[in-house]
Amino acid sequence: MSESMAAARRALGDGAPMVELRGISRRFEKKLDFAGRLAKRLGAGVREETVHAVDNVDLTIRKGEVVGLVGESGCGKSTLGRMVAGILPPSDGSILRDGTELLDRDSAAARELKLRTQMIFQDPYASLNPRMRVVDIVGEAPLVHGITSRSGFDAYVDEQMRRAGLDPAFKRRYPHQFSGGQRQRIGIARALAVKPDFIVCDEAVAALDVSIQAQILNLFIRLRSELDLTYLFISHDLGVVEHISDRVVIMYLGRVVEEASSETVFASPNHPYTQSLLASVPRIESRKRAFSVVKGEIPSPLNPPPGCHFHPRCPHAMERCKVEKPELKTVAPGQRSACHLNDMA
Amino acid sequence: MTVASTPASPAAAPTLEVRNLRTHFFTRAGVVKAVDDVSFSIGRGKVLGLVGESGSGKTVTGFSVLGLVDPPGRIVGGEILFQGRDLTKMSEAEMRDLRGNRVAMIFQDPMMTLNPVLRVDTQMIETVLAHKKVSREEARQRARDTLGMVGIPSPDERLKSYPHQFSGGMRQRVAIAIALLHEPDLIVADEPTTALDVTIQGQILAEVQKLATTTGTSLIWITHDLSVVAGLADEVAVMYAGRIVEKGAVSDVLDAPLHPYTFGLIGSVPSRNKRGEPLRQIPGMTPSLLNLPPGCAFRTRCPRAAEVCMAEPEIRELAPGREARCFRPMNEAAEQAA
Ligand SMILES: Nc1ncnc2c1ncn2[C@@H]1O[C@H](COP(=O)(O)OP(=O)(O)OP(=O)(O)O)[C@@H](O)[C@H]1O
Ligand SMILES: Nc1ncnc2c1ncn2[C@@H]1O[C@H](COP(=O)(O)OP(=O)(O)OP(=O)(O)O)[C@@H](O)[C@H]1O
Ligand code: SF4
Ligand code: SF4
Ligand SMILES: [Mg+2]
Ligand SMILES: [Mg+2]
């Protein structure tokens, strides 16, 4: 497919679905600490608490798209990303990959699909085995999965490294002998070596200095068109998400509150939380200005406010918001938002 | 806080003037020139943004001002004039008296300020009493007022909590409140919002901005985030490899950077105008301070490097109020192109 055709299709959002999430939830039990266990044995009404890390999310990612996933810490981005990548089973709901149920762990087809989804993390150092040389970090999985052969191994690894902007001359080195940016390149080379078509990036540039971050973002943009990749790009940095994404999904305390094209989200956000978030972001274009302020703290995900989770901080909150959960509804073509205000027009 | 109503006379000396500061670390691997010939000054009630990438010397600069540099590090040259007195010549006792009183620091990790085993009210009251002869009740009132200033709701009840009972953003506000207890003349803030969520960062930046304008406190705001500097600071100093490579008014520097590094840095920031396009990136990476290239330290990454750059550039005034450490600044590029 030519680049412009691909771009046109992405803009129209009519690529075939790559990943479909239907009613996905993930809960974690928060174990009681010692005092809590003691209190429970003494008959106090203490119960193990449940975190609704991801709460009933529907989401479709189409082939060739870059979907940005934003939200503040603890809102469930990583949990959602890990479920999409197939490395964390959901508590409820189903995940379709190319129309096939991903959770069906036993089928060979599902395993193959899982290999075609790769994840890139924030801390490349923690995700690279410190005792392995780069050549093995990058080459091991393709060899195991028969993507390359013993005889073609060295050439294959060299190609992967070069593509990620690493000099193959360094392939016998260990991860600690590289800088942060180079380690992220190793992580990228490793992920791409198994020929995925879908990449989940979880804060993949968050730990990098801005000049190095720019290099890695440029690499992601180039690889996308070279290899026809689809990305789920998780980041708390709205500038980064705006830069790289075609479509943006905003989460707050486990729920998707808004979803639309990048342009729409940043030009005419619908949800009050999205609006607040955008108003809080410092912008390099702005000059000495009053920072606008969202009131209040981010509530604990252990005990989120009832109704609309955002109501204690929302400047437009009404009685209804305190009791009734707003559903995610289409408010404009290609834009969905979960806010009761949309029922009032 | 009583708002100081005495306006600074225009001729007033700057609150802080740092001249040719050099702070080096004497390590086994060699001498690390973490801060090398750094000069800047801040007027009353002004905010100076000190920006640069990791390892460029921002924290060591801030620590030097507060006399917090520990061995193997040492200030080996220069002057730090605070209200006319040279801090590098002060005894440790004099510095201790100044710190937390006239000069305060806010760290990225608020637990550098907070004591985990003391209730917040106890810590704040002790801090007040350490420098002021007031009653305990007056000290408590002062603590309450200050927490109110940084936007901590129901401070009375909050005062009785331990630091771990607060969220990260709240802890940082308490640390800021402690820094404000004595209405210091200068605060050095080292990436205090970097670890916080954006809505919480926005709240703190708004409070800080209000404080600087209403109390006359001068601020050094250390950050790697040019966007924060854009919204908060009056002046900006850009550091690279232990040196200030450019400084000037925020709008001048961000609109028309003179140093190729500043130019590259601004181009690296993703923003709305560049969606989906490659960012203008700086090639390569920051050199080790132990192994700087001879001549201009940015030479190996600089698109404008030329023969002259083999010599070491001095920082010089290139336009009124604008300085850069470069032989071939960007404005000359524009002139050549024109
Ligand atoms: N393994 C786990 N056990 C218990 N709770 C968990 C686990 N993983 C995540 N959580 C909780 O689920 C919620 C969502 O966490 P998650 O890591 O997905 O958030 P996030 O949006 O990625 O945040 P951040 O921006 O800080 O990375 C949080 O409250 C977190 O504490
Ligand atoms: N105790 C020390 N011993 C040796 N070198 C040190 C020491 N402390 C700092 N340095 C060196 O001084 C240089 C400047 O460090 P500094 O912490 O000021 O950087 P920074 O600009 O604050 O970076 P960051 O953005 O990562 O906080 C670094 O190269 C660092 O390695
Ligand atoms: S549903 Fe109500 S509280 Fe929630 S965002 Fe909309 S107006 Fe605000
Ligand atoms: S002095 Fe030369 S190498 Fe250094 S920044 Fe200026 S042009 Fe580039
Ligand atoms: Mg996360
Ligand atoms: Mg630092």
Side-chain angles (χ1 to χ4, degrees):
Chain A
M1 196 185 337
S2 82
E3 171 121 24
S4 58
M5 263 175 65
R9 265 179 61 170
R10 284 194 295 265
L12 290 168
D14 68 347
M18 181 120 203
V19 183
E20 286 169 90
L21 308 186
R22 295 195 186 142
I24 283 291
S25 296
R26 175 68 207 205
R27 294 176 291 274
F28 294 106
E29 301 301 326
K30 200 167 172 205
K31 295 273 173 271
L32 291 176
D33 59 6
F34 177 74
R37 287 200 307 271
L38 190 69
K40 189 176 175 188
R41 271 182 49 196
L42 296 174
V46 201
R47 298 192 26 225
E48 303 208 327
E49 291 173 297
T50 304
V51 187
H52 292 264
V54 171
D55 184 8
N56 196 18
V57 167
D58 293 323
L59 179 66
T60 302
I61 300 168
R62 295 178 189 284
K63 281 207 172 66
E65 256 191 329
V66 178
V67 174
L69 180 58
V70 291
E72 296 179 283
S73 80
C75 72
K77 304 182 295 297
S78 297
T79 305
L80 189 68
R82 287 160 67 211
M83 291 192 290
V84 169
I87 58 175
L88 178 77
S91 310
D92 289 317
S94 72
I95 302 178
L96 301 182
R97 174 71 148 92
D98 294 345
T100 306
E101 180 61 61
L102 192 64
L103 305 169
D104 183 3
R105 289 167 165 263
D106 298 328
S107 82
R111 274 200 304 277
E112 206 261 336
L113 279 177
K114 244 175 237 174
L115 198 61
R116 280 174 40 209
T117 305
Q118 289 294 311
M119 215 166 160
I120 294 169
F121 299 93
Q122 161 166 11
D123 183 358
Y125 202 49
S127 64
L128 301 175
N129 184 338
R131 276 189 285 279
M132 273 168 80
R133 297 177 191 274
V134 173
V135 56
D136 297 314
I137 290 174
V138 173
E140 190 179 49
L143 196 60
V144 169
H145 294 284
I147 295 168
T148 181
S149 60
R150 266 281 156 222
S151 60
F153 182 77
D154 274 294
Y156 189 76
V157 170
D158 289 1
E159 185 199 332
Q160 305 308 312
M161 287 183 69
R162 233 176 265 122
R163 193 164 58 201
L166 290 163
D167 185 344
F170 296 141
K171 68 182 172 187
R172 307 214 47 85
R173 293 196 181 176
Y174 293 95
H176 74 262
Q177 293 172 293
F178 292 88
S179 70
Q182 287 172 322
R183 287 199 288 254
Q184 196 53 285
R185 290 179 192 274
I186 298 172
I188 293 169
R190 176 183 59 179
L192 294 180
V194 295
K195 298 199 186 300
D197 53 2
F198 179 45
I199 310 274
V200 177
C201 298
D202 190 354
E203 303 283 3
V205 296
L208 306 174
D209 265 327
V210 58
S211 72
I212 307 302
Q213 171 180 292
Q215 295 174 358
I216 301 295
L217 283 175
N218 284 349
L219 179 62
F220 279 128
I221 291 170
R222 176 165 64 77
L223 291 171
R224 170 199 189 175
S225 54
E226 266 178 33
L227 304 173
D228 219 349
L229 296 172
T230 302
Y231 294 130
L232 176 63
F233 204 93
I234 299 172
S235 174
H236 67 278
D237 185 329
L238 281 129
V240 166
V241 165
E242 177 173 14
H243 184 74
I244 200 165
S245 311
D246 303 311
R247 208 149 52 85
V248 178
V249 174
I250 294 114
M251 287 183 76
Y252 189 71
L253 289 170
R255 295 178 185 161
V256 171
V257 296
E258 182 160 4
E259 181 201 330
S261 74
S262 255
E263 267 117 75
T264 309
V265 163
F266 288 94
S268 48
N270 177 278
H271 198 280
Y273 175 63
T274 314
Q275 293 166 357
S276 311
L277 204 57
L278 293 182
S280 301
V281 180
R283 292 252 171 214
I284 194 164
E285 301 88 12
S286 66
R287 292 293 176 269
K288 192 88 182 175
R289 58 145 187 165
F291 285 93
S292 68
V293 167
V294 195
K295 65 181 179 185
E297 288 178 78
I298 304 164
S300 157
L302 274 174
N303 191 15
C308 173
H309 287 341
F310 189 55
H311 83 252
R313 307 177 75 191
C314 180
H316 312 291
M318 312 164 279
E319 274 314 306
R320 182 182 176 196
C321 307
K322 297 179 189 162
V323 288
E324 191 186 330
K325 172 189 164 182
E327 297 300 327
L328 196 59
K329 291 183 196 156
T330 300
V331 294
Q335 182 174 28
R336 298 199 296 160
S337 172
C339 172
H340 292 312
L341 288 175
N342 292 310
D343 294 346
M344 315 225 319
Chain B
M1 182 183 282
T2 50
V3 175
S5 55
T6 38
S9 67
T15 302
L16 181 75
E17 191 172 358
V18 173
R19 290 188 190 151
N20 310 103
L21 177 68
R22 294 190 300 134
T23 306
H24 295 177
F25 288 84
F26 299 86
T27 69
R28 230 172 285 157
V31 179
V32 178
K33 298 179 178 177
V35 175
D36 204 22
D37 191 26
V38 160
S39 304
F40 59 85
S41 68
I42 315 176
R44 192 171 173 282
K46 293 289 179 201
V47 183
L48 170 76
L50 191 57
V51 296
E53 296 184 284
S54 101
S56 58
K58 305 181 296 294
T59 296
V60 174
T61 302
F63 274 36
S64 300
V65 170
L66 275 108
L68 292 172
V69 177
D70 287 326
R74 191 152 50 80
I75 295 179
V76 296
E79 298 173 322
I80 302 173
L81 301 172
F82 173 67
Q83 296 172 337
R85 297 153 77 203
D86 188 352
L87 302 187
T88 64
K89 304 244 155 55
M90 277 194 185
S91 70
E92 180 47 35
E94 287 174 298
M95 271 315 285
R96 222 176 300 128
D97 191 51
L98 206 68
R99 267 198 307 266
N101 186 8
R102 305 319 324 138
V103 183
M105 180 130 188
I106 305 168
F107 302 90
Q108 175 167 353
D109 178 0
M111 294 313 287
M112 294 273 287
T113 305
L114 301 172
N115 184 334
V117 300
L118 287 183
R119 275 179 15 191
V120 165
D121 56 350
T122 320
Q123 316 198 20
M124 294 189 78
I125 290 166
E126 294 305 326
T127 309
V128 175
L129 295 176
H131 296 284
K132 244 191 200 127
K133 288 194 174 47
V134 293
S135 73
R136 248 192 126 68
E137 201 29 60
E138 283 170 298
R140 179 182 300 276
Q141 187 54 46
R142 176 78 198 131
R144 228 179 256 142
D145 294 347
T146 326
L147 283 172
M149 275 166 43
V150 296
I152 297 200
S154 56
D156 269 334
E157 168 201 325
R158 290 292 183 130
L159 266 173
K160 295 202 177 69
S161 317
Y162 288 90
H164 74 266
Q165 294 171 298
F166 288 94
S167 67
M170 277 297 167
R171 248 177 255 153
Q172 190 58 280
R173 281 170 201 241
V174 174
I176 294 175
I178 289 178
L180 294 173
L181 278 173
H182 292 283
E183 303 178 43
D185 301 308
L186 173 69
I187 296 179
V188 178
D190 191 0
E191 311 248 14
T193 59
T194 303
L196 303 176
D197 274 314
V198 58
T199 56
I200 309 301
Q201 165 171 283
Q203 293 168 350
I204 290 182
L205 292 179
E207 301 291 350
V208 163
Q209 201 163 47
K210 212 159 44 184
L211 286 169
T213 44
T214 55
T215 64
T217 301
S218 306
L219 265 173
I220 300 179
W221 196 269
I222 295 175
T223 178
H224 64 273
D225 190 340
L226 280 171
S227 309
V228 167
V229 166
L232 185 69
D234 301 288
E235 302 230 337
V236 57
V238 182
M239 288 190 80
Y240 186 79
R243 297 188 176 139
I244 290 179
V245 295
E246 172 155 14
K247 103 191 138 184
V250 165
S251 42
D252 289 345
V253 172
L254 294 187
D255 290 344
L258 292 175
H259 197 281
Y261 175 65
T262 319
F263 179 78
L265 209 54
I266 293 168
S268 294
V269 178
S271 87
R272 59 175 45 149
N273 307 325
K274 306 176 224 167
R275 181 172 313 139
E277 292 166 33
L279 295 161
R280 187 176 66 221
Q281 65 184 42
I282 303 173
M285 52 190 185
T286 321
S288 154
L289 288 183
L290 281 169
N291 194 13
L292 288 179
C296 173
F298 188 56
R299 189 169 51 83
T300 50
R301 308 175 72 189
C302 180
R304 292 186 50 74
E307 204 56 40
V308 284
C309 310
M310 294 298 289
E312 235 177 78
E314 295 291 322
I315 191 154
R316 61 196 171 110
E317 186 164 57
L318 293 171
R322 303 204 55 184
E323 291 175 38
R325 191 185 286 274
C326 176
F327 292 117
R328 294 161 49 73
M330 302 305 296
N331 58 341
E332 289 175 12
E335 277 159 30
Q336 280 154 15

